[in-house]
Short mmCIF file of all heavy atoms in Angstrom, two decimals:
data_model
loop_
_atom_site.label_atom_id
_atom_site.label_comp_id
_atom_site.label_asym_id
_atom_site.label_seq_id
_atom_site.Cartn_x
_atom_site.Cartn_y
_atom_site.Cartn_z
N ALA T 1 -2.44 2.45 10.64
CA ALA T 1 -1.98 3.69 10.01
C ALA T 1 -1.92 4.87 10.98
O ALA T 1 -1.39 5.92 10.62
CB ALA T 1 -2.91 4.04 8.85
N ILE T 2 -2.46 4.71 12.18
CA ILE T 2 -2.51 5.83 13.11
C ILE T 2 -1.52 5.64 14.24
O ILE T 2 -0.86 4.62 14.35
CB ILE T 2 -3.94 6.03 13.66
CG1 ILE T 2 -4.39 4.79 14.44
CG2 ILE T 2 -4.91 6.38 12.55
CD1 ILE T 2 -5.70 4.94 15.15
N ARG T 3 -1.44 6.65 15.09
CA ARG T 3 -0.53 6.61 16.24
C ARG T 3 -1.18 5.89 17.41
O ARG T 3 -2.40 5.71 17.43
CB ARG T 3 -0.18 8.04 16.67
CG ARG T 3 0.34 8.92 15.55
CD ARG T 3 0.39 10.38 15.93
NE ARG T 3 -0.90 10.82 16.46
CZ ARG T 3 -1.08 11.92 17.16
NH1 ARG T 3 -0.07 12.72 17.44
NH2 ARG T 3 -2.27 12.26 17.60
N ASP T 4 -0.38 5.49 18.38
CA ASP T 4 -0.90 4.79 19.56
C ASP T 4 -1.90 5.63 20.34
O ASP T 4 -2.84 5.09 20.92
CB ASP T 4 0.24 4.38 20.49
CG ASP T 4 1.07 3.25 19.93
OD1 ASP T 4 0.60 2.56 19.00
OD2 ASP T 4 2.20 3.06 20.41
N GLU T 5 -1.73 6.95 20.36
CA GLU T 5 -2.62 7.81 21.13
C GLU T 5 -3.92 8.17 20.42
O GLU T 5 -4.80 8.79 21.01
CB GLU T 5 -1.89 9.09 21.57
CG GLU T 5 -1.38 9.94 20.43
CD GLU T 5 0.07 9.67 20.07
OE1 GLU T 5 0.51 8.51 20.12
OE2 GLU T 5 0.76 10.63 19.72
N ASP T 6 -4.08 7.77 19.16
CA ASP T 6 -5.30 8.05 18.42
C ASP T 6 -6.34 6.97 18.71
O ASP T 6 -6.02 5.87 19.14
CB ASP T 6 -5.00 8.10 16.92
CG ASP T 6 -3.99 9.18 16.58
OD1 ASP T 6 -3.90 10.18 17.32
OD2 ASP T 6 -3.26 9.01 15.58
N LEU T 7 -7.59 7.29 18.47
CA LEU T 7 -8.70 6.39 18.79
C LEU T 7 -9.57 6.19 17.56
O LEU T 7 -10.05 7.16 16.97
CB LEU T 7 -9.53 6.98 19.93
CG LEU T 7 -10.80 6.23 20.31
CD1 LEU T 7 -10.47 4.87 20.90
CD2 LEU T 7 -11.63 7.06 21.27
N VAL T 8 -9.78 4.94 17.18
CA VAL T 8 -10.68 4.59 16.09
C VAL T 8 -11.98 4.10 16.69
O VAL T 8 -11.98 3.28 17.61
CB VAL T 8 -10.08 3.48 15.19
CG1 VAL T 8 -11.07 3.06 14.12
CG2 VAL T 8 -8.78 3.93 14.58
N CYS T 9 -13.11 4.61 16.19
CA CYS T 9 -14.41 4.16 16.67
C CYS T 9 -15.35 3.97 15.48
O CYS T 9 -15.19 4.60 14.45
CB CYS T 9 -15.02 5.11 17.68
SG CYS T 9 -14.43 6.77 17.71
N ARG T 10 -16.31 3.12 15.67
CA ARG T 10 -17.34 2.90 14.66
C ARG T 10 -18.38 4.00 14.84
O ARG T 10 -19.01 4.11 15.89
CB ARG T 10 -17.94 1.52 14.86
CG ARG T 10 -18.93 1.10 13.84
CD ARG T 10 -18.26 0.23 12.77
NE ARG T 10 -19.21 -0.31 11.86
CZ ARG T 10 -19.67 -1.55 11.92
NH1 ARG T 10 -19.23 -2.38 12.83
NH2 ARG T 10 -20.56 -1.95 11.06
N PHE T 11 -18.55 4.84 13.83
CA PHE T 11 -19.45 5.98 13.93
C PHE T 11 -20.86 5.60 13.47
O PHE T 11 -21.85 6.05 14.02
CB PHE T 11 -18.90 7.14 13.10
CG PHE T 11 -19.65 8.41 13.28
CD1 PHE T 11 -19.55 9.12 14.45
CD2 PHE T 11 -20.46 8.88 12.27
CE1 PHE T 11 -20.26 10.30 14.63
CE2 PHE T 11 -21.17 10.06 12.43
CZ PHE T 11 -21.07 10.76 13.61
N SER T 12 -20.94 4.80 12.41
CA SER T 12 -22.22 4.29 11.91
C SER T 12 -21.95 2.95 11.24
O SER T 12 -20.84 2.43 11.31
CB SER T 12 -22.87 5.29 10.93
OG SER T 12 -22.12 5.38 9.74
N ALA T 13 -22.96 2.41 10.57
CA ALA T 13 -22.81 1.07 9.98
C ALA T 13 -21.62 0.95 9.04
O ALA T 13 -20.95 -0.07 9.00
CB ALA T 13 -24.09 0.70 9.24
N ASP T 14 -21.34 2.02 8.30
CA ASP T 14 -20.25 1.95 7.32
C ASP T 14 -19.25 3.10 7.45
O ASP T 14 -18.55 3.44 6.51
CB ASP T 14 -20.81 1.91 5.91
CG ASP T 14 -21.61 3.15 5.55
OD1 ASP T 14 -21.88 3.97 6.45
OD2 ASP T 14 -21.99 3.31 4.38
N THR T 15 -19.19 3.69 8.64
CA THR T 15 -18.32 4.85 8.85
C THR T 15 -17.52 4.69 10.14
O THR T 15 -18.07 4.34 11.18
CB THR T 15 -19.16 6.15 8.95
OG1 THR T 15 -19.97 6.26 7.78
CG2 THR T 15 -18.27 7.36 9.06
N PHE T 16 -16.22 4.96 10.02
CA PHE T 16 -15.35 5.00 11.19
C PHE T 16 -15.00 6.44 11.48
O PHE T 16 -14.88 7.26 10.57
CB PHE T 16 -14.05 4.23 10.94
CG PHE T 16 -14.23 2.75 10.81
CD1 PHE T 16 -14.27 2.14 9.58
CD2 PHE T 16 -14.36 1.96 11.94
CE1 PHE T 16 -14.43 0.78 9.46
CE2 PHE T 16 -14.53 0.60 11.84
CZ PHE T 16 -14.57 0.00 10.59
N GLY T 17 -14.79 6.75 12.73
CA GLY T 17 -14.28 8.04 13.15
C GLY T 17 -12.93 7.82 13.80
O GLY T 17 -12.70 6.80 14.45
N VAL T 18 -12.03 8.75 13.60
CA VAL T 18 -10.71 8.68 14.24
C VAL T 18 -10.49 9.99 14.98
O VAL T 18 -10.54 11.06 14.38
CB VAL T 18 -9.58 8.45 13.20
CG1 VAL T 18 -8.24 8.36 13.90
CG2 VAL T 18 -9.85 7.21 12.35
N MET T 19 -10.26 9.88 16.26
CA MET T 19 -9.94 11.05 17.08
C MET T 19 -8.42 11.14 17.12
O MET T 19 -7.74 10.18 17.51
CB MET T 19 -10.50 10.89 18.49
CG MET T 19 -12.00 10.65 18.53
SD MET T 19 -12.98 11.98 17.81
CE MET T 19 -12.76 13.22 19.04
N ILE T 20 -7.89 12.30 16.72
CA ILE T 20 -6.45 12.51 16.63
C ILE T 20 -6.10 13.69 17.54
O ILE T 20 -6.12 14.83 17.11
CB ILE T 20 -6.03 12.80 15.17
CG1 ILE T 20 -6.53 11.72 14.23
CG2 ILE T 20 -4.52 12.96 15.06
CD1 ILE T 20 -6.35 12.04 12.75
N PRO T 21 -5.78 13.41 18.79
CA PRO T 21 -5.55 14.51 19.73
C PRO T 21 -4.16 15.13 19.60
O PRO T 21 -3.20 14.48 19.18
CB PRO T 21 -5.70 13.84 21.10
CG PRO T 21 -5.29 12.43 20.86
CD PRO T 21 -5.74 12.11 19.45
N GLY T 22 -4.08 16.40 19.97
CA GLY T 22 -2.79 17.07 20.12
C GLY T 22 -2.02 17.33 18.85
O GLY T 22 -0.79 17.29 18.88
N VAL T 23 -2.72 17.61 17.74
CA VAL T 23 -2.01 17.93 16.51
C VAL T 23 -2.51 19.24 15.94
O VAL T 23 -3.64 19.64 16.17
CB VAL T 23 -2.17 16.81 15.44
CG1 VAL T 23 -1.57 15.50 15.92
CG2 VAL T 23 -3.61 16.61 15.04
N ASP T 24 -1.65 19.91 15.18
CA ASP T 24 -2.09 21.09 14.47
C ASP T 24 -2.70 20.67 13.13
O ASP T 24 -2.72 19.49 12.79
CB ASP T 24 -0.93 22.08 14.27
CG ASP T 24 0.23 21.51 13.47
OD1 ASP T 24 0.05 20.51 12.74
OD2 ASP T 24 1.34 22.07 13.56
N ASP T 25 -3.21 21.64 12.37
CA ASP T 25 -3.88 21.33 11.10
C ASP T 25 -2.99 20.53 10.16
O ASP T 25 -3.43 19.55 9.55
CB ASP T 25 -4.34 22.61 10.40
CG ASP T 25 -5.54 23.24 11.07
OD1 ASP T 25 -6.19 22.57 11.90
OD2 ASP T 25 -5.84 24.40 10.76
N GLU T 26 -1.75 20.94 10.01
CA GLU T 26 -0.86 20.30 9.05
C GLU T 26 -0.56 18.85 9.44
O GLU T 26 -0.61 17.95 8.61
CB GLU T 26 0.45 21.09 8.90
CG GLU T 26 1.39 20.52 7.86
CD GLU T 26 0.78 20.41 6.46
OE1 GLU T 26 -0.07 21.25 6.10
OE2 GLU T 26 1.14 19.46 5.73
N MET T 27 -0.27 18.62 10.71
CA MET T 27 0.01 17.26 11.16
C MET T 27 -1.24 16.40 11.04
O MET T 27 -1.17 15.24 10.64
CB MET T 27 0.53 17.26 12.60
CG MET T 27 0.76 15.87 13.13
SD MET T 27 1.92 14.96 12.13
CE MET T 27 3.07 14.48 13.36
N GLY T 28 -2.40 16.95 11.35
CA GLY T 28 -3.66 16.22 11.20
C GLY T 28 -3.88 15.79 9.77
O GLY T 28 -4.24 14.64 9.50
N ARG T 29 -3.64 16.70 8.83
CA ARG T 29 -3.79 16.36 7.41
C ARG T 29 -2.84 15.24 7.01
O ARG T 29 -3.21 14.33 6.28
CB ARG T 29 -3.52 17.57 6.53
CG ARG T 29 -4.62 18.58 6.52
CD ARG T 29 -4.22 19.77 5.66
NE ARG T 29 -5.12 20.87 5.89
CZ ARG T 29 -5.74 21.53 4.91
NH1 ARG T 29 -5.55 21.20 3.67
NH2 ARG T 29 -6.54 22.52 5.21
N ARG T 30 -1.59 15.33 7.49
CA ARG T 30 -0.62 14.28 7.15
C ARG T 30 -1.05 12.92 7.69
O ARG T 30 -0.91 11.91 7.00
CB ARG T 30 0.77 14.66 7.66
CG ARG T 30 1.47 15.63 6.72
CD ARG T 30 2.92 15.77 7.08
NE ARG T 30 3.02 17.02 7.83
CZ ARG T 30 3.82 17.26 8.83
NH1 ARG T 30 4.67 16.35 9.24
NH2 ARG T 30 3.83 18.42 9.44
N LEU T 31 -1.58 12.90 8.90
CA LEU T 31 -2.04 11.63 9.47
C LEU T 31 -3.22 11.07 8.68
O LEU T 31 -3.29 9.87 8.42
CB LEU T 31 -2.40 11.81 10.94
CG LEU T 31 -1.22 12.01 11.89
CD1 LEU T 31 -1.71 12.47 13.25
CD2 LEU T 31 -0.42 10.73 12.01
N VAL T 32 -4.16 11.93 8.32
CA VAL T 32 -5.31 11.47 7.54
C VAL T 32 -4.87 10.98 6.16
O VAL T 32 -5.35 9.96 5.67
CB VAL T 32 -6.38 12.58 7.42
CG1 VAL T 32 -7.51 12.14 6.51
CG2 VAL T 32 -6.92 12.94 8.79
N LEU T 33 -3.93 11.68 5.54
CA LEU T 33 -3.41 11.21 4.25
C LEU T 33 -2.73 9.86 4.40
O LEU T 33 -2.84 9.00 3.51
CB LEU T 33 -2.44 12.24 3.66
CG LEU T 33 -3.09 13.53 3.15
CD1 LEU T 33 -2.03 14.57 2.83
CD2 LEU T 33 -3.96 13.24 1.93
N ALA T 34 -2.05 9.64 5.51
CA ALA T 34 -1.41 8.34 5.75
C ALA T 34 -2.47 7.24 5.85
O ALA T 34 -2.28 6.14 5.31
CB ALA T 34 -0.55 8.39 7.01
N VAL T 35 -3.57 7.52 6.52
CA VAL T 35 -4.65 6.54 6.62
C VAL T 35 -5.21 6.27 5.22
O VAL T 35 -5.40 5.11 4.83
CB VAL T 35 -5.77 7.02 7.57
CG1 VAL T 35 -6.97 6.09 7.51
CG2 VAL T 35 -5.25 7.12 8.99
N ARG T 36 -5.47 7.33 4.47
CA ARG T 36 -6.01 7.15 3.11
C ARG T 36 -5.08 6.30 2.26
O ARG T 36 -5.51 5.37 1.58
CB ARG T 36 -6.24 8.50 2.44
CG ARG T 36 -6.76 8.33 1.01
CD ARG T 36 -7.06 9.63 0.33
NE ARG T 36 -5.86 10.40 0.09
CZ ARG T 36 -5.86 11.55 -0.55
NH1 ARG T 36 -6.99 12.07 -0.98
NH2 ARG T 36 -4.75 12.20 -0.74
N ASN T 37 -3.78 6.59 2.31
CA ASN T 37 -2.83 5.83 1.51
C ASN T 37 -2.73 4.38 1.97
O ASN T 37 -2.59 3.47 1.14
CB ASN T 37 -1.45 6.50 1.56
CG ASN T 37 -1.45 7.82 0.83
OD1 ASN T 37 -2.31 8.09 -0.01
ND2 ASN T 37 -0.51 8.68 1.17
N THR T 38 -2.81 4.14 3.26
CA THR T 38 -2.76 2.77 3.78
C THR T 38 -3.95 1.97 3.29
O THR T 38 -3.81 0.82 2.86
CB THR T 38 -2.69 2.77 5.32
OG1 THR T 38 -1.51 3.48 5.72
CG2 THR T 38 -2.65 1.37 5.87
N VAL T 39 -5.14 2.55 3.34
CA VAL T 39 -6.34 1.86 2.85
C VAL T 39 -6.22 1.63 1.35
O VAL T 39 -6.50 0.53 0.85
CB VAL T 39 -7.62 2.66 3.20
CG1 VAL T 39 -8.83 2.09 2.48
CG2 VAL T 39 -7.83 2.68 4.70
N ARG T 40 -5.81 2.64 0.62
CA ARG T 40 -5.70 2.54 -0.84
C ARG T 40 -4.72 1.44 -1.26
O ARG T 40 -4.96 0.71 -2.21
CB ARG T 40 -5.25 3.88 -1.43
CG ARG T 40 -5.15 3.88 -2.95
CD ARG T 40 -4.55 5.14 -3.48
NE ARG T 40 -3.17 5.24 -2.99
CZ ARG T 40 -2.49 6.36 -2.92
NH1 ARG T 40 -3.02 7.49 -3.30
NH2 ARG T 40 -1.25 6.36 -2.49
N ASP T 41 -3.63 1.30 -0.53
CA ASP T 41 -2.58 0.36 -0.91
C ASP T 41 -2.75 -1.05 -0.35
O ASP T 41 -2.02 -1.95 -0.72
CB ASP T 41 -1.21 0.91 -0.47
CG ASP T 41 -0.85 2.20 -1.19
OD1 ASP T 41 -1.42 2.48 -2.26
OD2 ASP T 41 -0.01 2.96 -0.66
N HIS T 42 -3.70 -1.23 0.56
CA HIS T 42 -3.89 -2.54 1.18
C HIS T 42 -4.57 -3.50 0.21
O HIS T 42 -5.48 -3.12 -0.52
CB HIS T 42 -4.72 -2.41 2.46
CG HIS T 42 -4.80 -3.68 3.24
ND1 HIS T 42 -3.77 -4.10 4.04
CD2 HIS T 42 -5.75 -4.62 3.30
CE1 HIS T 42 -4.09 -5.26 4.59
NE2 HIS T 42 -5.30 -5.59 4.15
N HIS T 43 -4.14 -4.74 0.21
CA HIS T 43 -4.75 -5.78 -0.63
C HIS T 43 -5.79 -6.53 0.20
O HIS T 43 -5.45 -7.44 0.95
CB HIS T 43 -3.68 -6.74 -1.16
CG HIS T 43 -2.67 -6.06 -2.02
ND1 HIS T 43 -2.94 -5.66 -3.30
CD2 HIS T 43 -1.40 -5.68 -1.76
CE1 HIS T 43 -1.88 -5.07 -3.82
NE2 HIS T 43 -0.93 -5.07 -2.90
N PHE T 44 -7.03 -6.11 0.06
CA PHE T 44 -8.12 -6.71 0.81
C PHE T 44 -8.55 -8.01 0.15
O PHE T 44 -8.59 -8.13 -1.07
CB PHE T 44 -9.33 -5.77 0.87
CG PHE T 44 -9.15 -4.62 1.79
CD1 PHE T 44 -8.64 -3.41 1.33
CD2 PHE T 44 -9.49 -4.72 3.13
CE1 PHE T 44 -8.48 -2.33 2.18
CE2 PHE T 44 -9.33 -3.64 3.99
CZ PHE T 44 -8.83 -2.45 3.51
N ARG T 45 -8.88 -9.00 0.99
CA ARG T 45 -9.48 -10.25 0.56
C ARG T 45 -10.58 -10.55 1.57
O ARG T 45 -10.38 -10.39 2.77
CB ARG T 45 -8.47 -11.39 0.58
CG ARG T 45 -7.35 -11.24 -0.41
CD ARG T 45 -6.36 -12.41 -0.24
NE ARG T 45 -5.16 -12.20 -1.03
CZ ARG T 45 -5.03 -12.50 -2.31
NH1 ARG T 45 -6.04 -13.02 -2.96
NH2 ARG T 45 -3.90 -12.26 -2.95
N LEU T 46 -11.73 -11.01 1.08
CA LEU T 46 -12.81 -11.36 2.00
C LEU T 46 -12.51 -12.67 2.72
O LEU T 46 -12.87 -12.86 3.87
CB LEU T 46 -14.13 -11.43 1.26
CG LEU T 46 -14.60 -10.10 0.68
CD1 LEU T 46 -15.91 -10.26 -0.06
CD2 LEU T 46 -14.73 -9.05 1.77
#
């Protein structure tokens, strides 16, 4: 869900952090909303 220049890292046992460089507030919000929508719409199976 993120761009090639973004970085996903494991922040804690159940938390990920995403570093999104070089964006303004509005673009950052749009990217985070895209991540939220991708997770919400994904069909997870164990």
